[in-house]
Amino acid sequence: MKKFLIAGLCAMVLGAIPSGAQWGPRAIPEPTDGLKDAYKDYFKIGVAVNNRNVSDPDQIKLILREFNSITAENAMKPQPTEPKKGEFNWEDADKIADFCRQNGIKMRGHTLMWHSQIGTWMYQDEKGNLLPKEEFYANMKHHIQAIVNRYKDVVYCWDVVNEAVADSPVYPGRPELRNSPMYQIAGEEFIYKAFEYAHEADPNALLFYNDYNDAEPAKSQRIFNLVKRMKDAGVPVDGIGMQAHYNVYGPSMKEVADAIELYSTIVNHIHLTELDIRINEDMGGGLRFNQGQAQVSDWERTLQQDQYVQLFKVLRKHKDVIDCVTFWNVSDKDSWLGVRNYPLLFDENYKPKQAYLAVKGFDPKMDNFVVAEDFKPSELNQPGQQYPMVNSQGYARFKVDAPKATSVIVSLGLGGSGGTVLHKAEDGSWMGTTDGPMDEGFHYYHLTVDGGVLNDPGTNNYYGSTRWESGIEIPAHDADFYAMKNVAHGKVQQVLFWSKSTNQVRVAWVYTPAEYEKNAKKKYPVLYLQHGWGENEYAWWNQGHANLIMDNLIADGKIQPFIIVMTYGMTNEGFRPGQMPAAAPARPAPGAPAPGGAPQARPARPAGGMGMMMNNGFEEVLCDELVPYIDANFRTIAKKESRAMAGLSMGGMETHTITLARPEMFGWYGLLSGGTYNPDEVKGTGVKGIFIGCGSKEGPDQIRNAAKALQDAGYNAKGYVSEGTAHEFLTWRRCLYEMAPMLFK
Ligand code: XIL
């Protein structure tokens, strides 16, 4: 909900959602090129297909756009091609092969010998007795050579033997190989024979041994051992197929890299032959078909995206030995695991997931980027806390103790669905580093531990997204303008004022410049400065350092001192700090007589959208209650020319509405990532000056164009774009710094 609200707000405010922003699953437009294009310098990207996939025009379009290698999901397996001895059925296999021939795509053949999906005639008689070895070999040879010969022109490699290695654990004395009927008849030799028969039929085909749990250390060692024995015996084996039926919790990328490195010591070709990453914790041979969650949560999507992203990073690193990566099925709708396992990069409607974009949109430069190991505790950490840490390049590193957790995600990093997935470190804690440098400045974040949202106990909390979030500060190169320095400091004091319209005591924070106390006669202009959606009256001085920005500007003689008032900009939220505890009856209906005396709790936040939050009586609170209160209790210059209103994001929208509705009250307007004014709407307001600003990552052209239009129309207007920042507090700190000198001139 909240993501949509923010996305909606920004779409309204800025007309476009900036790329790389932290909010929202977005609709992903239909790609114009495919994974195969993104990976053309690395390896082929393949897909396993059934007949329906290559019959439907939409699916054909997708397949041809994305993939440049094809595997028949079932059609070339032993049973489907030769259900009875000598009775071949080529219909399905031919259809897929013809599709590939027509489109110039070479196929991976799958699979010639497997204990599953094989006619029992291959290895036993009608009574169920195992055949003599010679008869089994004759059956096998005839089958293998028939199929290899038939598709020689289009199949360039074969998974000759599938899944012949035993699963873990294997106890001493037990064979390392699966105790299949074929193994019982001939031992390991049947594997060798299968490769020899295939090679005889097509000496040019690359021949693979293919298996699952391919990155599990013990099993990968057994796979290695088998292939090593084959090599030593002169068997024509060219490659190892890692099926790669993985899940969002494992294998670890170290295990994958270790397996690839181990295999690459005996073969020159490694293919990922059946890649999918399911949402539940099963893997490889352990199958929970169509189970898992009824609905996939955002945090699971993040885990999946991360697992895919990290996997492809490892694969790119090993591109010398990896030459094809095949997804097992086109979309979740086709997946052999069932749609609820959510395992692929295309969803059940054949639409690309965010993870697709992340896998495709890698930056080759970042693959070799060396993260500087000069991490220091973030300046916002709680006393004595080492983590989170920040390095000189803007990377953030997190460490969380949660011994029994199965997943920990930090909501910072990874554009799009968002987050840095932490992994179990050797000491049992969860650790992780953002995938790239963060924007400079302040960021809100939280942890998601097994789906539950928590704060990071390492750092302080800041109110944003309607909750106290964790905060981290990536030191900005220009941090000096808001630094706490040895200059004369003003005060930020809390005032509690009675609001008749909402029948409650409300809160504002008032910044008075250092000289305010010393000069008992002087009167000051006032800026009413509003926070954004989900924030509160703490935001501008706590996260924004508005007071320090003012102190520094005043100390440098860059502005004439003025007062800033920061209040809560909504009227319809539930209980919040600084407010009377919720006990009294809800706010009376408009027109109803206010029950005498005691301040009341505000009604709980209604499930309304942005309109609900904004069209909520705040104008009345601000203009008819707070402004008079401030003018009565502080030494203000109580007139329009000396009164400004500005706000960030939603506060900018409020500013826009209220300044235009009450032109007699405010002479100066400021919108910070909060939209623009056009000359027509400010006509006749008598506005003295207008400031509009935003971050360079927020669609800054609107700001530039609007400022120019206002200037051309003769208004005192300033447009400002904060370089390298998005919809975040460094943008607004800089905006305040740029705006303050133009006010009240
Ligand atoms: C699966 C197919 O996807 C299913 O349609 C079929 O019912 C069973 O086999 N390892 C393999 C693949 O090598 O052939 C399997 O394919 C998945 C596991």
Side-chain angles (χ1 to χ4, degrees):
M1 183 65 187
K2 113 187 159 197
K3 285 182 176 167
F4 293 114
L5 276 176
I6 300 181
L9 164 70
C10 295
M12 262 189 289
V13 169
L14 294 165
I17 301 177
S19 65
Q22 292 177 36
W23 48 78
R26 284 168 267 161
I28 295 168
E30 187 174 321
T32 51
D33 64 357
L35 291 164
K36 69 172 179 2
D37 305 302
Y39 282 88
K40 67 177 181 340
D41 296 333
Y42 295 85
F43 31 73
K44 287 187 178 188
I45 303 285
V47 65
V49 299
N50 57 38
N51 268 346
R52 292 181 309 282
N53 299 140
V54 295
S55 308
D56 173 71
D58 288 339
Q59 294 182 41
I60 290 174
K61 195 172 152 212
L62 187 155
I63 291 167
L64 296 180
R65 185 187 69 220
E66 299 292 338
F67 304 104
N68 52 8
S69 170
I70 282 180
T71 306
E73 181 188 9
N74 288 301
M76 291 186 178
K77 287 173 180 174
Q79 199 276 342
T81 47
E82 196 178 0
K84 287 191 187 146
K85 182 166 174 159
E87 288 182 20
F88 288 95
N89 172 11
W90 302 119
E91 205 183 316
D92 286 356
D94 278 356
K95 174 150 180 132
I96 295 171
D98 284 343
F99 173 83
C100 294
R101 288 177 180 121
Q102 279 153 21
N103 291 291
I105 300 175
K106 291 286 179 212
M107 297 186 72
R108 296 196 79 258
H110 176 85
T111 175
L112 298 174
M113 253 324 108
W114 188 22
H115 63 275
S116 184
Q117 290 183 277
I118 187 167
T120 52
W121 61 265
M122 182 83 73
Y123 52 77
Q124 69 186 30
D125 64 20
E126 271 149 25
K127 292 191 195 122
N129 298 318
L130 294 177
L131 299 177
K133 186 159 97 174
E134 290 65 34
E135 201 179 335
F136 164 52
Y137 281 175
N139 287 346
M140 184 163 79
K141 180 171 182 180
H142 188 253
H143 174 81
I144 288 177
Q145 299 201 332
I147 184 166
V148 171
N149 273 317
R150 188 174 181 89
Y151 298 111
K152 246 184 202 175
D153 64 310
V154 66
V155 172
Y156 78 100
C157 72
W158 278 100
D159 292 331
V160 178
V161 175
N162 199 28
E163 303 183 357
V165 169
D167 284 325
S168 298
V170 165
Y171 302 103
R174 293 253 189 98
E176 291 205 337
L177 297 189
R178 179 186 298 276
N179 194 21
S180 66
M182 291 98 101
Y183 182 79
Q184 288 166 29
I185 295 173
E188 185 164 309
E189 191 191 57
F190 92 89
I191 301 171
Y192 300 15
K193 289 288 176 200
F195 277 80
E196 281 159 20
Y197 300 149
H199 185 68
E200 220 172 84
D202 183 3
N204 294 323
L206 288 176
L207 304 183
F208 282 73
Y209 173 74
N210 191 48
D211 215 328
Y212 63 85
N213 285 358
D214 41 79
E216 188 221 301
K219 187 160 175 188
S220 53
Q221 187 61 50
R222 288 198 288 281
I223 294 171
F224 170 88
N225 294 345
L226 168 66
V227 176
K228 174 89 172 46
R229 290 193 297 274
M230 291 164 73
K231 284 266 177 198
D232 291 347
V235 176
V237 51
D238 300 294
I240 292 178
M242 301 171 72
Q243 289 190 5
H245 293 296
Y246 299 151
N247 71 41
V248 297
Y249 304 102
S252 74
M253 287 309 121
K254 182 177 184 309
E255 288 172 332
V256 174
D258 285 352
I260 293 172
E261 282 156 30
L262 178 66
Y263 299 149
S264 69
T265 61
I266 36 162
V267 292
N268 296 325
H269 303 278
I270 296 175
H271 289 187
L272 266 67
T273 54
E274 307 180 16
L275 174 60
D276 48 25
I277 297 181
R278 70 194 81 168
I279 293 292
N280 74 51
E281 61 279 9
D282 295 336
M283 207 184 293
L287 298 177
R288 243 200 271 167
F289 291 97
N290 220 1
Q291 291 185 17
Q293 282 67 16
Q295 247 180 330
V296 179
S297 319
D298 278 352
W299 63 275
E300 291 171 302
R301 266 187 263 275
T302 299
L303 290 181
Q304 185 185 53
Q305 173 170 329
D306 183 67
Q307 187 76 332
Y308 266 120
V309 165
Q310 303 308 331
L311 175 64
F312 273 84
K313 203 179 205 175
V314 170
L315 300 178
R316 289 194 298 274
K317 193 174 164 210
H318 293 90
K319 68 172 180 173
D320 288 352
V321 65
I322 292 186
D323 34 45
C324 185
V325 176
T326 295
F327 289 87
W328 204 247
N329 304 110
V330 179
S331 80
D332 289 346
K333 182 157 194 166
D334 309 294
S335 171
W336 70 304
L337 299 169
V339 70
R340 289 185 177 178
N341 273 302
Y342 198 73
L344 294 162
L345 293 181
F346 292 90
D347 69 16
E348 59 185 301
N349 301 312
Y350 296 89
K351 296 278 177 267
K353 298 178 184 176
Q354 193 71 42
Y356 164 89
L357 290 185
V359 164
K360 200 173 158 188
F362 68 93
D363 177 355
K365 286 193 297 292
M366 294 308 285
D367 282 349
N368 301 316
F369 193 86
V370 181
V371 179
E373 286 302 324
D374 56 0
F375 286 88
K376 293 197 188 77
S378 159
E379 65 196 69
L380 305 184
N381 284 3
Q382 296 196 21
Q385 295 297 315
Q386 292 295 299
Y387 287 87
M389 290 195 178
V390 178
N391 83 350
S392 55
Q393 300 155 320
Y395 282 73
R397 181 169 285 171
F398 304 89
K399 181 176 188 197
V400 176
D401 288 316
K404 298 274 181 178
T406 53
S407 71
V408 181
I409 304 169
V410 175
S411 63
L412 283 181
L414 273 183
S417 81
T420 298
V421 174
L422 307 191
H423 294 281
K424 269 250 162 104
E426 274 173 15
D427 68 358
S429 67
W430 292 83
M431 286 195 75
T433 307
T434 51
D435 230 14
M438 308 283 303
D439 286 350
E440 292 182 357
F442 174 86
H443 306 283
Y444 296 107
Y445 75 98
H446 54 254
L447 309 177
T448 302
V449 180
D450 290 355
V453 172
L454 303 167
N455 278 5
D456 184 341
T459 183
N460 290 330
N461 296 337
Y462 301 84
Y463 199 78
S465 309
T466 68
R467 64 184 294 281
W468 291 88
E469 291 258 276
S470 298
I472 190 169
E473 188 81 40
I474 308 298
H477 67 278
D478 57 346
D480 191 63
F481 77 88
Y482 55 86
M484 197 181 298
K485 299 188 221 171
N486 187 13
V487 298
H489 287 286
K491 266 188 188 160
V492 178
Q493 59 181 294
Q494 191 187 55
V495 301
L496 299 175
F497 65 101
W498 175 247
S499 159
K500 188 158 176 267
S501 69
T502 56
N503 194 34
Q504 64 192 173
V505 175
R506 296 181 64 95
V507 188
W509 294 92
V510 179
Y511 167 82
T512 49
E515 61 165 47
Y516 185 86
E517 315 278 324
K518 299 203 183 90
N519 188 343
K521 290 222 177 75
K522 188 173 170 188
K523 294 186 169 187
Y524 294 87
V526 185
L527 164 64
Y528 290 83
L529 187 56
Q530 289 307 127
H531 59 82
W533 176 87
E535 295 174 333
N536 66 9
E537 67 278 7
Y538 286 64
W540 261 113
W541 56 270
N542 200 25
Q543 291 90 294
H545 302 317
N547 54 321
L548 300 178
I549 294 170
M550 291 293 288
D551 293 341
N552 290 337
L553 279 168
I554 294 167
D556 290 347
K558 289 185 177 150
I559 61 167
Q560 289 303 315
F562 56 84
I563 292 171
I564 300 182
V565 177
M566 300 157 271
T567 195
Y568 185 64
M570 292 181 249
T571 53
N572 58 349
E573 83 303 329
F575 172 71
R576 296 176 310 102
Q579 184 204 339
M580 300 298 159
R587 180 185 176 188
Q600 290 197 4
R602 278 165 277 183
R605 182 188 298 282
M610 190 58 69
M612 189 73 197
M613 286 191 283
M614 303 215 11
N615 184 18
N616 62 13
F618 178 62
E619 179 187 327
E620 211 179 334
V621 170
L622 178 73
C623 299
D624 303 331
E625 296 169 348
L626 181 57
V627 170
Y629 178 91
I630 296 294
D631 284 341
N633 290 282
F634 291 83
R635 297 196 313 278
T636 65
I637 309 172
K639 55 180 192 181
K640 164 181 175 159
E641 290 71 26
S642 300
R643 199 179 289 125
M645 180 174 184
L648 72 88
S649 192
M650 184 197 75
M653 298 169 78
E654 292 178 320
T655 301
H656 185 266
T657 307
I658 294 173
T659 50
L660 296 180
R662 305 281 186 118
E664 73 285 1
M665 289 199 70
F666 300 98
W668 304 84
Y669 311 163
L671 307 181
L672 323 183
S673 309
T676 57
Y677 289 98
N678 65 55
D680 286 345
E681 57 193 2
V682 295
K683 206 168 176 183
T685 56
V687 63
K688 299 284 159 200
I690 299 173
F691 176 92
I692 48 179
C694 76
S696 65
K697 300 186 177 184
E698 294 188 278
D701 283 348
Q702 293 184 57
I703 296 292
R704 294 190 184 107
N705 296 340
K708 175 142 195 319
L710 289 165
Q711 288 155 2
D712 289 350
Y715 291 97
N716 172 24
K718 177 171 178 179
Y720 167 72
V721 174
S722 158
E723 266 321 307
T725 61
H727 203 69
E728 294 190 283
F729 245 106
L730 186 55
T731 299
W732 307 318
R733 290 173 184 162
R734 288 176 178 164
C735 280
L736 176 58
Y737 180 78
E738 296 290 328
M739 175 175 71
M742 86 177 282
L743 296 179
F744 314 120
K745 285 271 166 67

